[in-house]
C-alpha cells in the first residue's frame, strides 16, 4: 500500500494523463484486476452506489463461460487512493471531452487528446489501452516515485499488491479469492496469505526484544 501511495502521489493530479494513470493504478489494485480485465472495462461497467463502486466483469480467466461478475469496491479513506473519487475524476475528464460510453481506459496523446474521440490525434487512434500500455503505465509511475528497480513493476504487481494488502489487513482467503476472481483454493492466494502471516503472526512479535 505504501508503494501504491508513492506512485499515485508522483503522478500529476490535474493532467489528462495523470488522471488516467491514477485510475489505472487504483482500479488495478482495488479490483485485484488482471490486465485483460482492465483493458476490457467499459464506462458502462461502473455503477456508483452509496457504499462505493461496483465494477461489472463480463468475463475472466476463471469465468470462461462469461456469466459475468460484479465486484464491490468500498469508499477509500485516502482521497488519492479512493476508488470512488479517483474513478469519478477520470470519468469527469472523459465527459468534458464528450466521452460517456465505450472504453474506460484510453490512450492519451501529448496534447491531451483522448483515443477514440474526434479530437484525438489521427483518424485511426485506438479507443482502448493495450495490456502492454497498462504495464508501461505501472513502470512509469514506479520510476517517477523513485522506487527501486521500477522496470520490474507490472500490472500483475497491482493485482498481487491488492491481495497481499488485503491479507495483511486480515481478510480471509475465501474473500480474497472471490474478490480477485481466483479459483477456489488457489495456491497463489495461499502464498499471499503466508506472506502476510509471517509478519502478522510472527512468534517473535511481543516477546520483548
Amino acid at each position: 500500500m505504501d508503494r501504491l501511495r508513492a506512485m499515485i502521489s508522483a503522478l500529476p493530479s490535474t493532467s489528462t494523463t495523470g488522471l488516467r494513470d491514477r485510475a489505472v493504478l487504483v482500479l488495478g489494485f482495488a479490483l485485484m484486476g488482471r490486465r485483460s480485465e482492465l483493458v476490457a472495462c467499459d464506462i458502462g461497467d461502473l455503477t456508483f452506489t452509496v457504499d462505493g463502486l461496483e465494477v461489472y466483469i463480463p468475463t475472466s480467466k476463471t469465468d470462461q463461460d462469461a456469466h459475468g461478475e460484479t465486484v464491490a469496491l468500498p469508499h477509500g479513506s485516502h482521497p488519492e487512493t479512493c476508488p470512488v473519487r479517483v474513478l469519478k475524476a477520470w470519468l469527469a475528464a472523459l465527459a468534458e471531452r464528450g466521452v460517456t460510453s465505450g472504453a474506460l481506459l484510453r490512450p492519451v496523446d501529448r496534447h491531451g487528446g483522448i483515443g477514440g474521440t474526434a479530437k484525438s490525434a489521427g483518424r485511426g487512434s485506438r479507443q482502448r489501452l493495450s495490456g502492454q500500455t497498462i504495464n508501461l503505465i505501472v513502470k512509469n509511475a514506479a520510476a517517477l516515485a523513485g522506487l527501486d528497480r521500477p522496470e520490474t513493476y507490472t500490472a500483475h504487481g497491482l493485482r498481487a499488491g491488492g491481495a497481499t494488502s488485503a491479507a495483511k489487513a486480515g481478510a480471509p482467503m475465501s474473500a480474497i479469492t472471490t474478490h480477485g476472481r481466483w479459483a477456489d483454493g488457489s495456491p497463489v492466494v495461499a502464498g499471499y496469505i503466508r506472506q502476510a502471516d509471517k509478519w502478522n503472526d510472527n512468534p517473535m512479535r511481543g516477546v520483548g526484544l
Side-chain angles (χ1 to χ4, degrees), residues 27 31 34-46 55-60 102-106 127-131 134:
L27 188 62
L31 196 63
R34 298 178 175 89
R35 279 192 308 174
S36 59
E37 295 169 348
L38 297 177
V39 166
C41 191
D42 284 339
I43 293 172
D45 294 330
L46 306 184
V55 182
Y56 177 68
I57 307 294
T59 186
S60 66
L104 173 67
L105 302 174
R106 298 168 177 244
Q127 183 188 81
R128 199 175 295 274
L129 285 183
S130 67
I134 296 283

Side-chain angles (χ1 to χ4, degrees), residues 202-209:
N202 193 292
M204 298 308 295
R205 187 181 298 279
V207 301
L209 285 176

Side-chain angles (χ1 to χ4, degrees), residues 90-146:
W90 172 235
L91 288 175
L94 289 174
E96 286 176 4
R97 292 156 178 81
V99 179
T100 56
S101 62
L104 173 67
L105 302 174
R106 298 168 177 244
V108 178
D109 64 31
R110 66 179 186 275
H111 304 295
I114 295 177
T117 68
K119 294 183 179 180
S120 59
R123 293 185 179 180
S125 60
R126 290 181 294 107
Q127 183 188 81
R128 199 175 295 274
L129 285 183
S130 67
Q132 181 181 10
T133 303
I134 296 283
N135 271 345
L136 291 175
I137 287 170
V138 177
K139 293 178 192 296
N140 178 64
L144 289 175

